[in-house]
Every structure is written in C-alpha cells, then in structure tokens.
Amino acid sequence: MCTGACSKFIAIPLYVLALVSVICNIILFFPDFSTDYASSDSKSNPMLTEEVKYMGGFIGGGIMILIPAIHIHLTSTKGCCANRCGMFLSIGFAAVGVVGAIYSLAVAAVGLQNGPACRYRADNGNEIWGRPFINSSGEYLGNKSTWDTCLIPENVVEFNLGLFSTLLVAAALEAVLCGFQMINGLFGCICGTCSDKDKD
C-alpha cells in the first residue's frame, strides 16, 4: 500500500476514536446522567473520581490525537504535506499521539482499578460518600455481587466500568495506529508518498 494511502487509512479511525474518547470523558462527569454531582463537586466534598477530572479521554485520547490525525490525513492528500517532509513531520505528530494515548490509557486503567465515587454504607452503618473499592486493587471488577455497595448514583459501577473500558480500548487502538504511522512516516520519508507530485 502507498504510504500516502496508508496515512488516510490510519487518520480516519483516529478521528472516530478521538471523538469516542471525548464523548466518554464528558459523560463521565454526569453519573446517572445527572448534573447534580458535577455541580456539587469540590475539594472538600469530592463527588466525582479524580480520574474523571484528569480528563484523560478529552486531553490525551481526544485533543492529543485529533491534532496528529489532521496532519496525518493531510499527508494522504495532494497538498503541502504530501511529500517526504510532511511524512517526516508526521512521525513527530504520531509520537505526540502515542503519548496522548498512553496518558488516556493510564488514567482509564487507574479509574477502573480504583472504582467510582458513590454513597455507600460504611462498617459503622453510616452512609458516607467515598470510594469503597479504592483499596480492592481492582478485585471488585470480577465480583459483581459487590457492585450493590454503591447506593447512589444508581448503577454507577456499571456506568464507570463501561465508559472507562471504552476509553481503555480506544486509547490502546490509538496508540497502535499512531505507532503504525510512525513506521509509515519513516517509509514515506525515505521512499516518498507514491505521488507523482512528490516533493522534498
């Protein structure tokens, strides 16, 4: 496959994955699809998990992927970037994408391991707001019977699990695609972009 065509094949999925990551991160701010928790969140009364506020999906899997995707896509068109110089620059942009994807992946993994913030019944019988699974090392993920520990928001464990898992998969795919573009960019830099108008 021509390196320019390969760039297009890589860029289009990156657009989709970046959009998915941004949407998932935004939705994570609204457990139970309510704005109450985000509006009431504060340092003294944290209603949302720290991993949501790190915005791994928005910054890492979104913006840091979208910008490289745009340049990678431009290397597949008959424009200023469809040449050896453009392919060389795409290596650097793809490397930025890899860093963003790793950030998003790491935040999602920690979010899954530590579990959601919710109201639950403590050992003394009082209902408190906190993170009941934070010291479980992720063991709660395989024990669905413990998910009822969270009383409010309703089904928050499934909510967090679904969205952070989606972010995890999206970030892994983004890292792979950006890694492929680094290799593709190297070949494009050495061999050109298969364009008749290829210029150094």
Side-chain angles (χ1 to χ4, degrees), residues 10-63:
I10 290 170
I12 292 173
L14 284 177
Y15 289 136
V16 176
L17 291 168
L19 181 62
V20 167
S21 295
V22 168
I23 291 172
C24 285
N25 203 149
I26 291 172
I27 294 174
L28 277 166
F29 278 93
F30 307 105
D32 206 17
F33 299 100
S34 170
T35 59
D36 295 342
Y37 308 104
S39 61
S40 302
D41 183 73
S42 64
K43 287 186 178 181
S44 59
N45 184 34
M47 305 289 282
L48 300 172
T49 64
E50 289 300 314
E51 292 78 30
V52 172
K53 291 180 275 189
Y54 291 157
M55 300 185 72
F58 187 85
I59 297 172
I63 295 171

Side-chain angles (χ1 to χ4, degrees), residues 19-20 24 38 46 50 60 69 73 96 99 118 126 131 137 144 161 166 169-170 181 198:
L19 181 62
V20 167
C24 285
E50 289 300 314
H73 194 188
V96 171
V99 172
C118 62
N126 294 330
R131 302 185 72 176
S137 299
K144 195 171 182 179
L161 179 60
T166 302
V169 172
Q181 179 57 30
D198 184 32

